[in-house]
Amino acid sequence: GAVTAIHGVVIVTQGTEVDLLNATNGNTLFTYNDTRSGSTFYGGVAVANGMVFQGNMDGYLSALGL
């Protein structure tokens, strides 16, 4: 999967999950699991204005607050 790091948070995407991890200790801060049929995250996220944006292969864009 793709990995992005910003302001002490590491964001990892793989399969149907987006995981936000504490960059210091690796603890999971938040996990988003897209359960829609055909959903697969591919590529890195975009981060802007306190939001994480991630498109997936089924054509949806997910927006998650940091």
Side-chain angles (χ1 to χ4, degrees), residues 9-31:
V9 177
V10 176
I11 306 161
V12 181
T13 61
Q14 182 172 339
T16 61
E17 284 190 3
V18 177
D19 297 309
L20 281 68
L21 310 172
N22 181 305
T24 303
N25 59 26
N27 288 341
T28 300
L29 302 172
F30 180 78
T31 297

Side-chain angles (χ1 to χ4, degrees), residues 3-60:
V3 178
T4 304
I6 185 168
H7 303 293
V9 177
V10 176
I11 306 161
V12 181
T13 61
Q14 182 172 339
T16 61
E17 284 190 3
V18 177
D19 297 309
L20 281 68
L21 310 172
N22 181 305
T24 303
N25 59 26
N27 288 341
T28 300
L29 302 172
F30 180 78
T31 297
Y32 173 71
N33 187 8
D34 191 340
T35 58
R36 287 188 296 258
S37 177
S39 174
T40 301
F41 293 113
Y42 183 80
V45 300
V47 179
N49 296 323
M51 299 291 291
V52 175
F53 300 94
Q54 175 65 50
N56 63 30
M57 298 301 287
D58 66 1
Y60 285 89

